[in-house]
Amino acid sequence: MKKILIIVIKMIKMISKIIMLNRYHNFQCYKQLRIYKWIIVLMLLANTSIPADRRPISDECEQTLGELKHTLQDVMTRYDTLHQDALEVTRYEQLKAQQESVLAEMVRQVDNLKREAEQRYKAEVEKLRNSLQRLQRRLAENLRLLEEERLIAHQTRRKLCVSYIQGGKVEEAASVFRALNGSYGVVEVLNDTYRGDATVVVPLVLFYKALRDDAQAFRTIDALEELYRQLEQNNQLDRVHCREMFFSMNTLDTYYTVPEDVARVRALFQTLMLRLRELTSKRD
């Protein structure tokens, strides 16, 4: 609809300019008018072919468009008179002035119609914008609630992982840990589980052993080094704990691909071996 209005305005302005041509260029003027006449007729036919079930901008707009069609047809009929060679100058000027007046009025009507259409479109766009803003607010609220639920679920899984380790269910703990997709670090598990409690050292070591297939991805060496440091600091690196760590790290280096991490695994394994020999010799 808006495109049709723009075409109508352009056609009317073109015709108005042609009327201003000198009457001695009447023949050329007439040829151009005939071309524009058929353009307008085709435009009107295209407008008429709009399906009847399409909702008009408003009844007033629809009525105005209908009136403009008839007025344009009358204008083109009078143009046939303007091209006559026998037409007197006075009559020609009268007809030309009349046509200019009619066209000016049509432009005014179309401008009003265009403004009404733009206001209607603007109102529709504003409705759509308001609807989208309401939807955006709902989505934001839903996302907030979802984030809260995810946080609660995450915290619950963390606690469940720790609980499984403390209960000696290392395979279950490893399964829950993997489900957290790296959002829970191996050192965090250590800090949440150990807390200086010597009874959970062996389950912790076995837990890290259960993750050896993903040792590089989870960087279990970080936790093993930290566990060794804390055990020494708390004077809990006895023969049992040292042996458990030593055997759990056997061939662990083959599960790593980063050279620096491989070197760290081998270094800790060597340290545990020497410490285990020392503790064993003291016992003997």
Side-chain angles (χ1 to χ4, degrees), residues 89-102:
V89 175
T90 303
R91 180 58 178 162
Y92 175 84
E93 294 297 334
Q94 288 177 348
L95 289 175
K96 187 179 75 169
Q98 182 182 4
Q99 295 294 71
E100 289 175 350
S101 176
V102 171

Side-chain angles (χ1 to χ4, degrees), residues 131-191:
S131 297
L132 289 175
Q133 285 181 334
R134 287 194 296 271
L135 177 61
Q136 186 181 33
R137 287 193 293 270
R138 290 197 195 100
L139 287 176
E141 177 62 15
N142 289 339
L143 286 174
R144 185 186 66 80
L145 294 174
L146 179 60
E147 285 299 318
E148 289 181 358
E149 291 178 1
R150 285 170 58 85
L151 179 60
I152 293 173
H154 177 74
Q155 293 172 342
T156 300
R157 289 193 183 99
R158 288 175 60 138
K159 292 178 181 178
L160 183 60
C161 181
V162 171
S163 177
Y164 276 145
I165 294 173
Q166 292 172 339
K169 299 179 180 180
V170 294
E171 292 297 334
E172 290 85 344
S175 178
V176 173
F177 180 82
R178 285 192 174 92
L180 288 167
N181 295 319
S183 60
Y184 192 26
V186 288
V187 176
E188 290 180 291
V189 175
L190 168 63
N191 294 332

Side-chain angles (χ1 to χ4, degrees), residues 209-223:
K209 183 179 180 180
L211 297 175
R212 66 166 40 206
D213 288 343
D214 302 300
Q216 181 66 77
F218 294 136
R219 297 180 61 85
T220 55
I221 184 59
D222 294 346

